[in-house]
Amino acid sequence: MTATINQSVRGPEQILAEVRSNKMSKFQIVTVTIALLMVVLDGFEVGIMAFAAPQIQEQLGISPDILGYVLSGSLFGMAIGSIFLTPLADRFGRRPLTLAMLTLIVVGMALTLTAPTALWLIVWRIVTGLGIGGMMANLNALVAEYSSDKRRTTAIAIYAAGYPIGATVAGFIARPLIPQFGWHSMFIAGTILAVVALIGAFALLPESLDYLLGRRPNRALERVNKILGKMNVAPLDALPERTITEEDRVSTKNIIREVLSPPTLRLTMALWLGYALLVAAYYFANTWIPTILTNVSGDPQLGTTMGIGANLGGVLGCFVFAALAIRFSGRHLLFITLFAAAAAYIIFGMVFSIIPVAIMVGFVLGVLTTGAIAGFYAVAPTIYSSKARATGIGWMIGIGRLVSVAAPIIVGYILAAGAEPEKVFLYFAIPLMIAGVAALTLLLGRTKATLAG
């Protein structure tokens, strides 16, 4: 009886500390896996356009500068979704937002099939991007919250691998599908996968334990105990009383204050700058490489092969980062990876015309840039408390993608002006170096977030 009483009076902090100090249960592993599959879908839906772009450009007669806008459509939507939709998860829950964003993805993908012009392609890619952007940062927070302290950085790095996995799958499917059935076939496949994901998430995705204990929505105790039972943690007889001060009250004002006030402000700015410049370089390479190589070589399959190689490298990069994070600090790894990525871009520009060597360097380029993205995903949750975590991560991803929107567009104008494609890779080494300097700032300070840094 005494043990039961002691268990029943545990506070939210004690419960979460117990969950995070224990070995990850089967339920936690399944939850992280579901989130991984969701982000695989995101990578597939975004990656589709890169592989379909050469045929779209030919059939619709789109110039390189306009194609840049088409390629950036989903990135713009992702930025807006991350900034304005992800914070809703801190108020209404991780699960409801994920289901709403998946519905938005289904709508955007299905309507893309009806697009008669480049303008409508851009519109429906923005709609799809809104769903992807609103979901990715939210799931990142969910993975962080369901992972143990010991395995959190590794789990998030593996989660980050989902995006390049999805883009790689898109490339493998595009090779036989587009030549035989046209670019519309890829979006039919994407719509079907999004519907399946929506049904799967509705049936299997749990709510965040942090959210239930912090916000106390309807049936919170029942839902908390159901989750605790699945993690082999003793249930609660009642949620402990709490005194809510004006400062502690979870509100939009206080969430913004945490993200944008000292001592967190300096780290927030470093996250925004570093991540923005990294993803600008990443999305330039991943959206333009297939089209650039197709146009230069006249061989569409070569462009697709190069795109697949870079994305396969990205998958490996996430898993390498995850493995190294077991022994080394995620912040140190991030700093080193960013400067190595800058070197890879320089080398790629130098060997661009030597196709076999360029393919190998492109693979390494994918390893390093996606590994660095995994690093930002792993570091960001350690900076914010649970009440501001989805907002903090969402703003980092949103600001980053808002900046990255310009990358494919700028490259389109550069190429339309007659610039040599290999020179563009040399230019993008500079923002990667600056991102490395921003990562150095993250090494110099930590905040009192509830997750280990």
Side-chain angles (χ1 to χ4, degrees), residues 51 175 289-309 352 355-356 358-359:
F51 297 108
R175 284 181 67 89
I289 278 181
T291 301
I292 287 175
L293 283 183
T294 296
N295 292 340
V296 169
S297 66
D299 181 2
Q301 294 291 65
L302 178 60
T304 301
T305 299
M306 187 66 190
I308 291 173
F352 180 81
I355 298 301
I359 290 176

mmCIF file of all heavy atoms in Angstrom, residues 51 175 289-309 352 355-356 358-359:
data_model
loop_
_atom_site.group_PDB
_atom_site.id
_atom_site.type_symbol
_atom_site.label_atom_id
_atom_site.label_comp_id
_atom_site.label_asym_id
_atom_site.label_seq_id
_atom_site.Cartn_x
_atom_site.Cartn_y
_atom_site.Cartn_z
ATOM 1 N N PHE A 51 12.979 15.181 -59.020
ATOM 2 C CA PHE A 51 13.103 14.166 -60.061
ATOM 3 C C PHE A 51 12.118 14.395 -61.205
ATOM 4 O O PHE A 51 12.374 13.998 -62.344
ATOM 5 C CB PHE A 51 12.910 12.774 -59.454
ATOM 6 C CG PHE A 51 13.961 12.420 -58.446
ATOM 7 C CD1 PHE A 51 13.667 12.367 -57.094
ATOM 8 C CD2 PHE A 51 15.266 12.169 -58.844
ATOM 9 C CE1 PHE A 51 14.641 12.059 -56.160
ATOM 10 C CE2 PHE A 51 16.260 11.862 -57.915
ATOM 11 C CZ PHE A 51 15.939 11.803 -56.568
ATOM 12 N N ARG A 175 12.843 6.536 -61.444
ATOM 13 C CA ARG A 175 13.625 5.979 -62.564
ATOM 14 C C ARG A 175 12.741 5.177 -63.530
ATOM 15 O O ARG A 175 12.779 5.411 -64.744
ATOM 16 C CB ARG A 175 14.771 5.109 -62.036
ATOM 17 C CG ARG A 175 15.948 5.913 -61.490
ATOM 18 C CD ARG A 175 17.066 4.982 -61.016
ATOM 19 N NE ARG A 175 17.680 4.270 -62.121
ATOM 20 C CZ ARG A 175 18.712 4.717 -62.815
ATOM 21 N NH1 ARG A 175 19.229 5.888 -62.547
ATOM 22 N NH2 ARG A 175 19.213 4.003 -63.790
ATOM 23 N N ILE A 289 20.555 19.425 -58.503
ATOM 24 C CA ILE A 289 21.534 18.467 -59.039
ATOM 25 C C ILE A 289 20.955 17.612 -60.174
ATOM 26 O O ILE A 289 21.572 17.478 -61.238
ATOM 27 C CB ILE A 289 22.122 17.580 -57.915
ATOM 28 C CG1 ILE A 289 23.253 18.336 -57.203
ATOM 29 C CG2 ILE A 289 22.665 16.267 -58.472
ATOM 30 C CD1 ILE A 289 23.917 17.547 -56.089
ATOM 31 N N PRO A 290 19.762 16.981 -60.019
ATOM 32 C CA PRO A 290 19.250 16.169 -61.136
ATOM 33 C C PRO A 290 19.054 16.970 -62.421
ATOM 34 O O PRO A 290 19.405 16.502 -63.514
ATOM 35 C CB PRO A 290 17.906 15.648 -60.602
ATOM 36 C CG PRO A 290 18.063 15.647 -59.111
ATOM 37 C CD PRO A 290 18.892 16.867 -58.817
ATOM 38 N N THR A 291 18.511 18.193 -62.308
ATOM 39 C CA THR A 291 18.266 19.008 -63.503
ATOM 40 C C THR A 291 19.574 19.496 -64.119
ATOM 41 O O THR A 291 19.748 19.476 -65.351
ATOM 42 C CB THR A 291 17.378 20.208 -63.147
ATOM 43 O OG1 THR A 291 16.133 19.721 -62.617
ATOM 44 C CG2 THR A 291 17.092 21.062 -64.371
ATOM 45 N N ILE A 292 20.515 19.945 -63.278
ATOM 46 C CA ILE A 292 21.807 20.443 -63.783
ATOM 47 C C ILE A 292 22.533 19.344 -64.558
ATOM 48 O O ILE A 292 23.001 19.554 -65.688
ATOM 49 C CB ILE A 292 22.681 20.966 -62.628
ATOM 50 C CG1 ILE A 292 22.129 22.297 -62.107
ATOM 51 C CG2 ILE A 292 24.128 21.150 -63.091
ATOM 52 C CD1 ILE A 292 22.871 22.818 -60.887
ATOM 53 N N LEU A 293 22.638 18.165 -63.971
ATOM 54 C CA LEU A 293 23.365 17.084 -64.648
ATOM 55 C C LEU A 293 22.619 16.584 -65.880
ATOM 56 O O LEU A 293 23.243 16.192 -66.861
ATOM 57 C CB LEU A 293 23.620 15.933 -63.673
ATOM 58 C CG LEU A 293 24.748 16.159 -62.662
ATOM 59 C CD1 LEU A 293 24.956 14.925 -61.803
ATOM 60 C CD2 LEU A 293 26.048 16.505 -63.373
ATOM 61 N N THR A 294 21.290 16.600 -65.829
ATOM 62 C CA THR A 294 20.513 16.207 -67.014
ATOM 63 C C THR A 294 20.767 17.178 -68.160
ATOM 64 O O THR A 294 20.987 16.768 -69.321
ATOM 65 C CB THR A 294 19.012 16.164 -66.682
ATOM 66 O OG1 THR A 294 18.779 15.142 -65.713
ATOM 67 C CG2 THR A 294 18.191 15.863 -67.935
ATOM 68 N N ASN A 295 20.752 18.471 -67.870
ATOM 69 C CA ASN A 295 20.964 19.486 -68.900
ATOM 70 C C ASN A 295 22.390 19.468 -69.444
ATOM 71 O O ASN A 295 22.620 19.654 -70.639
ATOM 72 C CB ASN A 295 20.636 20.875 -68.349
ATOM 73 C CG ASN A 295 19.151 21.042 -68.070
ATOM 74 O OD1 ASN A 295 18.329 20.307 -68.594
ATOM 75 N ND2 ASN A 295 18.803 22.007 -67.241
ATOM 76 N N VAL A 296 23.363 19.236 -68.555
ATOM 77 C CA VAL A 296 24.767 19.244 -68.978
ATOM 78 C C VAL A 296 25.108 18.005 -69.806
ATOM 79 O O VAL A 296 25.793 18.083 -70.824
ATOM 80 C CB VAL A 296 25.701 19.337 -67.750
ATOM 81 C CG1 VAL A 296 27.153 19.081 -68.159
ATOM 82 C CG2 VAL A 296 25.576 20.711 -67.104
ATOM 83 N N SER A 297 24.599 16.831 -69.364
ATOM 84 C CA SER A 297 24.966 15.572 -70.019
ATOM 85 C C SER A 297 23.969 15.141 -71.088
ATOM 86 O O SER A 297 24.296 14.334 -71.964
ATOM 87 C CB SER A 297 25.061 14.453 -68.973
ATOM 88 O OG SER A 297 23.791 14.192 -68.405
ATOM 89 N N GLY A 298 22.731 15.653 -71.012
ATOM 90 C CA GLY A 298 21.692 15.199 -71.931
ATOM 91 C C GLY A 298 21.126 13.845 -71.556
ATOM 92 O O GLY A 298 20.331 13.266 -72.298
ATOM 93 N N ASP A 299 21.511 13.321 -70.391
ATOM 94 C CA ASP A 299 21.077 11.999 -69.950
ATOM 95 C C ASP A 299 20.232 12.139 -68.680
ATOM 96 O O ASP A 299 20.775 12.351 -67.591
ATOM 97 C CB ASP A 299 22.291 11.119 -69.670
ATOM 98 C CG ASP A 299 21.913 9.710 -69.230
ATOM 99 O OD1 ASP A 299 20.706 9.403 -69.187
ATOM 100 O OD2 ASP A 299 22.829 8.919 -68.920
ATOM 101 N N PRO A 300 18.898 12.023 -68.775
ATOM 102 C CA PRO A 300 18.043 12.166 -67.591
ATOM 103 C C PRO A 300 18.367 11.152 -66.496
ATOM 104 O O PRO A 300 18.256 11.454 -65.310
ATOM 105 C CB PRO A 300 16.624 11.948 -68.144
ATOM 106 C CG PRO A 300 16.729 12.232 -69.608
ATOM 107 C CD PRO A 300 18.106 11.807 -70.001
ATOM 108 N N GLN A 301 18.791 9.951 -66.907
ATOM 109 C CA GLN A 301 19.089 8.921 -65.913
ATOM 110 C C GLN A 301 20.313 9.285 -65.071
ATOM 111 O O GLN A 301 20.385 8.936 -63.894
ATOM 112 C CB GLN A 301 19.313 7.572 -66.611
ATOM 113 C CG GLN A 301 18.074 7.009 -67.291
ATOM 114 C CD GLN A 301 17.014 6.573 -66.286
ATOM 115 O OE1 GLN A 301 16.464 7.393 -65.572
ATOM 116 N NE2 GLN A 301 16.728 5.285 -66.246
ATOM 117 N N LEU A 302 21.268 10.005 -65.667
ATOM 118 C CA LEU A 302 22.447 10.417 -64.924
ATOM 119 C C LEU A 302 22.073 11.397 -63.814
ATOM 120 O O LEU A 302 22.555 11.299 -62.683
ATOM 121 C CB LEU A 302 23.485 11.055 -65.854
ATOM 122 C CG LEU A 302 24.762 11.577 -65.174
ATOM 123 C CD1 LEU A 302 25.493 10.445 -64.459
ATOM 124 C CD2 LEU A 302 25.681 12.235 -66.205
ATOM 125 N N GLY A 303 21.195 12.342 -64.149
ATOM 126 C CA GLY A 303 20.746 13.293 -63.142
ATOM 127 C C GLY A 303 20.026 12.596 -62.007
ATOM 128 O O GLY A 303 20.236 12.910 -60.829
ATOM 129 N N THR A 304 19.170 11.630 -62.331
ATOM 130 C CA THR A 304 18.451 10.878 -61.301
ATOM 131 C C THR A 304 19.416 10.066 -60.449
ATOM 132 O O THR A 304 19.283 10.006 -59.222
ATOM 133 C CB THR A 304 17.413 9.940 -61.959
ATOM 134 O OG1 THR A 304 16.503 10.724 -62.727
ATOM 135 C CG2 THR A 304 16.637 9.173 -60.905
ATOM 136 N N THR A 305 20.413 9.426 -61.113
ATOM 137 C CA THR A 305 21.408 8.645 -60.379
ATOM 138 C C THR A 305 22.167 9.507 -59.386
ATOM 139 O O THR A 305 22.398 9.117 -58.233
ATOM 140 C CB THR A 305 22.402 7.986 -61.355
ATOM 141 O OG1 THR A 305 21.686 7.111 -62.231
ATOM 142 C CG2 THR A 305 23.466 7.207 -60.602
ATOM 143 N N MET A 306 22.548 10.716 -59.812
ATOM 144 C CA MET A 306 23.280 11.623 -58.936
ATOM 145 C C MET A 306 22.412 12.050 -57.756
ATOM 146 O O MET A 306 22.874 12.112 -56.612
ATOM 147 C CB MET A 306 23.729 12.856 -59.728
ATOM 148 C CG MET A 306 24.648 13.770 -58.948
ATOM 149 S SD MET A 306 26.232 12.971 -58.585
ATOM 150 C CE MET A 306 26.928 14.147 -57.446
ATOM 151 N N GLY A 307 21.131 12.329 -58.031
ATOM 152 C CA GLY A 307 20.226 12.708 -56.956
ATOM 153 C C GLY A 307 20.038 11.589 -55.947
ATOM 154 O O GLY A 307 20.033 11.819 -54.733
ATOM 155 N N ILE A 308 19.917 10.354 -56.448
ATOM 156 C CA ILE A 308 19.787 9.201 -55.556
ATOM 157 C C ILE A 308 21.047 9.039 -54.715
ATOM 158 O O ILE A 308 20.988 8.788 -53.510
ATOM 159 C CB ILE A 308 19.515 7.914 -56.368
ATOM 160 C CG1 ILE A 308 18.127 7.974 -56.995
ATOM 161 C CG2 ILE A 308 19.647 6.677 -55.482
ATOM 162 C CD1 ILE A 308 17.845 6.832 -57.951
ATOM 163 N N GLY A 309 22.222 9.196 -55.358
ATOM 164 C CA GLY A 309 23.486 9.042 -54.640
ATOM 165 C C GLY A 309 23.629 10.035 -53.503
ATOM 166 O O GLY A 309 24.044 9.679 -52.391
ATOM 167 N N PHE A 352 33.507 18.617 -60.874
ATOM 168 C CA PHE A 352 32.163 18.513 -61.449
ATOM 169 C C PHE A 352 32.164 17.825 -62.817
ATOM 170 O O PHE A 352 31.274 17.032 -63.128
ATOM 171 C CB PHE A 352 31.552 19.908 -61.563
ATOM 172 C CG PHE A 352 30.178 19.933 -62.147
ATOM 173 C CD1 PHE A 352 29.082 19.650 -61.347
ATOM 174 C CD2 PHE A 352 29.963 20.232 -63.483
ATOM 175 C CE1 PHE A 352 27.793 19.673 -61.869
ATOM 176 C CE2 PHE A 352 28.679 20.263 -64.017
ATOM 177 C CZ PHE A 352 27.592 19.980 -63.199
ATOM 178 N N ILE A 355 32.661 12.906 -64.141
ATOM 179 C CA ILE A 355 31.400 12.358 -63.646
ATOM 180 C C ILE A 355 31.569 11.272 -62.577
ATOM 181 O O ILE A 355 30.940 11.357 -61.513
ATOM 182 C CB ILE A 355 30.536 11.826 -64.809
ATOM 183 C CG1 ILE A 355 30.190 12.976 -65.763
ATOM 184 C CG2 ILE A 355 29.265 11.179 -64.278
ATOM 185 C CD1 ILE A 355 29.429 14.114 -65.107
ATOM 186 N N PRO A 356 32.409 10.228 -62.771
ATOM 187 C CA PRO A 356 32.515 9.197 -61.731
ATOM 188 C C PRO A 356 32.993 9.764 -60.386
ATOM 189 O O PRO A 356 32.488 9.382 -59.337
ATOM 190 C CB PRO A 356 33.541 8.205 -62.313
ATOM 191 C CG PRO A 356 33.492 8.431 -63.782
ATOM 192 C CD PRO A 356 33.240 9.890 -63.961
ATOM 193 N N ALA A 358 32.693 12.945 -59.451
ATOM 194 C CA ALA A 358 31.644 13.844 -58.959
ATOM 195 C C ALA A 358 30.550 13.061 -58.243
ATOM 196 O O ALA A 358 30.021 13.521 -57.221
ATOM 197 C CB ALA A 358 31.054 14.645 -60.113
ATOM 198 N N ILE A 359 30.211 11.890 -58.743
ATOM 199 C CA ILE A 359 29.178 11.069 -58.098
ATOM 200 C C ILE A 359 29.638 10.650 -56.703
ATOM 201 O O ILE A 359 28.864 10.692 -55.734
ATOM 202 C CB ILE A 359 28.850 9.843 -58.960
ATOM 203 C CG1 ILE A 359 28.101 10.283 -60.231
ATOM 204 C CG2 ILE A 359 28.015 8.825 -58.181
ATOM 205 C CD1 ILE A 359 27.813 9.163 -61.208
#
